[in-house]
Amino acid sequence: MRKVRILRFWKEVQLSVAENPVEVLMALVFFLLGIASEWVAKAHEELFNILRYGPILFLLARLFHRQDGRKIFKLLYYASPLLLAGVCFLHDECLERDLVSLLLIQLLYFHATGGKYNSTFIQSALHYVGALLLGLVLGTTVFVALMLIFSSAIYIFELSGYAYTHYLPWAIATGFGLALPLFFLVFDRQPRTLDIEGRPFHFLLNYILSPALVAYAIILYIYMVKILVTFTLPKGGVAAMVMVFVACLFVLKGCQPFLLRSYFEKFYRYASWIALPALLLAWIGTVYRIQEYGWTVARIYLVASLLTLSLLALLFFWRHRDGQYRHTALFALIVFSAVSYVPGFNVTQLEAWSQSARGDEPKKPEPEYLSVHPTTDAIPLGPYQQMTVIEKFEVAADSLRIYRGDSLLYAARLNELLAGQLRAAGLAPTDSIREADHNRLLLIETDSAAIWLEYLNLKRIGGRYAITYALPKLYFER
């Protein structure tokens, strides 16, 4: 029986390769570039753009392939590999725009393949997500298996250090460059990737995701009451929390018709009423920070996201209509594309204009070096019960490591550490750092502990700060 299943799966792989020649060709290109990554980095670094934009181009080719019966799309499908060469000439340092481009191609895919009605749109999206997750799981399995095989062979046969350091690109290229796309194609051609009408899906939504979402909603509403009582502004990260909440709320709302029985029907029936106060909270915090610090790439995309989610919430007030998800996807495509790619109006140019306008205000010039020291403001340390003095630590060229004896307590890259601290303080990388922000920047919080820095030295490079040195002083535990 097992042999029959393996042969059947192998037959599906063969059919997928035969039916999708362009997608398979792209996967082979990703694989070859992956194993030749060291040579590429030394000789032609621009070829890495093929890997950078590879998922976007792969899904674009897949979208052309799905448009049956039209010669123009068939022509575009077979011509799409030429885009792999075209992206080599792109020079874009905006990482956020790359992530948005990946989101947009998926929204375009959903809009083109999902149909007009909410049920077909959600069903198509779930099918895609299921195929992608299965491909990712199997691709990761291939990667782990190759890592174990290579490392075992190197250890047993005492191979050279060169072999030890160069098997990783082979494992990554095979698992994620070749296997993942092929497995995605195999599962995407199946009539069903997720059993959305079965008991596992029913259990997941009714007993795990929906109760968690209700608890999340309660926490947000308690926080809103606290803000009203104390008359304070929302924290910087609340807008992101609200976006996750509202997005999950309407995704799970769209899944309810596929359940055997919905135990949270009333909760999702009033999804728009539940979402609007949370969206208002996010809008208040976002508008305040834009007025205080100006526009940045992240805040422009934040506003675009809030506009999209607000429209989705408003559309569901018209219950007799259908297609709210498809209309919202189209709206998001237009808005995000406009702020990402329109010359003179895209995110990087808007950020530069906004920050230069703020530079015209009468204020002190930004210092090239900044030393962040504690202020006299109170530091909230309520959850932490135990404090120890940090005696052993390392500040290398690009990382901070803190030890207790020989045990590693904390490790982080300096650029990631600073990015996290700025987010916690509600600041963008290009914002000015005021004295009121110092204490928040000096307190590093993890899931179970916190670290207090005696000081933090920063240097401004290209309009953004980077850490030159950090002196950890105290370690707090819950």
Side-chain angles (χ1 to χ4, degrees), residues 393-408:
F393 64 92
E394 295 177 357
V395 183
D398 63 344
S399 63
L400 168 66
R401 292 182 177 85
I402 298 173
Y403 301 88
R404 177 184 286 159
D406 294 329
S407 300
L408 181 65

Side-chain angles (χ1 to χ4, degrees), residues 20-191:
N20 306 283
V22 170
E23 292 94 326
V24 172
L25 175 62
M26 286 186 172
L28 287 172
V29 171
F30 303 153
F31 169 72
L32 293 174
L33 277 177
I35 62 176
S37 56
E38 183 182 5
W39 172 81
V40 169
K42 293 179 178 178
H44 298 285
E45 192 173 346
E46 65 274 8
L47 291 176
F48 272 124
N49 273 359
I50 294 176
L51 298 178
R52 178 180 178 179
Y53 299 106
I56 299 171
L57 300 180
F58 180 88
L59 198 55
L60 183 63
R62 186 71 183 152
L63 179 59
F64 291 149
H65 199 187
R66 291 285 301 272
Q67 306 304 308
D68 298 327
R70 297 185 183 181
K71 291 184 179 180
I72 182 63
F73 286 112
K74 190 173 183 179
L75 179 63
L76 290 172
Y77 171 68
Y78 285 106
S80 54
L82 297 176
L83 294 174
L84 295 176
V87 297
C88 292
F89 301 98
L90 293 180
H91 301 282
D92 189 359
E93 297 180 358
C94 183
L95 177 61
E96 294 91 339
R97 183 154 44 205
D98 289 348
L99 298 175
V100 168
S101 298
L102 186 59
L103 169 67
L104 288 179
I105 190 61
Q106 293 179 84
L107 287 176
L108 181 62
Y109 189 85
F110 294 158
H111 186 271
T113 61
K116 296 181 180 180
Y117 304 106
N118 289 336
S119 58
T120 57
F121 188 93
I122 292 293
Q123 198 166 12
S124 175
L126 289 174
H127 177 85
Y128 166 81
V129 170
L132 184 61
L133 287 177
L134 289 170
L136 182 61
V137 168
L138 291 179
T140 304
T141 303
V142 171
F143 165 73
V144 172
L146 288 175
M147 289 287 288
L148 291 173
I149 293 170
F150 287 147
S151 57
S152 299
I154 290 168
Y155 176 77
I156 292 171
F157 298 108
E158 298 181 357
L159 299 179
S160 66
Y162 180 87
Y164 186 83
T165 56
H166 289 76
Y167 72 83
L168 182 60
W170 279 87
I172 294 175
T174 306
F176 301 111
L178 184 63
L180 192 160
L182 290 181
F183 285 133
F184 169 76
L185 295 173
V186 170
F187 292 112
D188 193 42
R189 72 182 298 274
Q190 305 301 313

